[in-house]
Amino acid sequence: MRKAWLEGAGLLLPVACAGCGRPRTELCAACRAALHGAQARPVRPSPRPPGLPPVYAAAPYENAVRAVLLAHKERGALGLAGVLGRALAGSVRACAGWPGGAGPLLLVPVPSARSSTAARGHDPVRRIAAAAARDLRREGLPAEALPLLRQRRAVADQAGLGARQRRANLAGALELTAAGGRLLRRGAPGQGHLRLGRVILVDDLLTTGSTLAEAARAVGEARGGGRESSGHGACRAAVVAASPSAFEINRN
């Protein structure tokens, strides 16, 4: 019911730009450019958590970009999934090295806690990942978004936790779903081509990198441990935004 209400509200209520508040537009040209105006770049948090794969981000998490992500995630502005998915698709293209024969891509969204999904009425990362996959397919790149990870134990709210505390909080918290295990270990009927492509972990935001490192661990165990670290089948990650400091480090 909450999901249906959010969808209807997005269509019926007067809109203002989610980034700057300008009236009569869901996202103005300037705020859209903040998301899509630059080439996605590699980002790296400091300190870098062990096991974090290469990560690409479309924009720094500040100003309009921060406001847009929060509007979609926390305030139910579901119509923003398309523009956020487009930004995520840019990060996926950059980290996959496409165009250039990267092959089919399997986008694996980082799962939200069940309590968070219930409170929000939707899973924001899963929604953005689906939009990104559609954007990539429109451009001719075979891509699918599949929710192959789940939380296997409860974790504390990450807000206010430092990098070390977040690593401890998330250690061993994620696992593959049964379907995810079958797909990544042996392939599945009708989807075997995806198993041979590149796995791209996707999230809306990179802060300390602990969540993506844990997701990479769970995927890496299914695909043979350390074999995820290099080669065509290597696991990589893409996000919509990252903390500004993660971009600063990569300029040095």
Side-chain angles (χ1 to χ4, degrees), residues 2 6-7 9-10 70-79 120 122:
R2 176 178 169 82
L6 289 171
E7 295 276 10
L70 288 175
H72 175 261
K73 188 173 189 174
E74 305 295 351
R75 297 199 296 276
L78 305 184
R120 292 172 180 144
H122 74 122

Side-chain angles (χ1 to χ4, degrees), residues 69-188:
L69 277 168
L70 288 175
H72 175 261
K73 188 173 189 174
E74 305 295 351
R75 297 199 296 276
L78 305 184
L80 295 170
V83 293
L84 291 171
R86 180 184 168 196
L88 180 60
S91 297
V92 170
R93 286 192 297 270
C95 77
W98 187 81
L105 300 177
L106 177 56
L107 310 189
V108 179
V110 171
S112 299
R114 290 182 181 178
S115 58
S116 297
T117 300
R120 292 172 180 144
H122 74 122
D123 186 329
V125 177
R126 185 170 175 178
R127 184 179 290 270
I128 295 171
R134 288 193 296 269
D135 192 272
L136 292 166
R137 290 195 298 270
R138 282 194 294 267
E139 295 189 8
L141 180 59
E144 294 289 342
L146 295 176
L148 304 184
L149 289 169
R150 65 187 175 195
Q151 289 193 340
R152 64 181 172 192
R153 64 168 176 81
V155 297
D157 188 346
Q158 298 274 77
L161 299 183
R164 182 176 297 178
Q165 293 169 314
R166 289 190 178 206
R167 289 199 299 272
N169 185 40
L170 289 166
L174 299 182
E175 65 179 359
L176 287 166
T177 64
R182 289 192 298 271
L183 178 62
L184 294 183
R185 291 187 185 100
R186 299 184 300 275

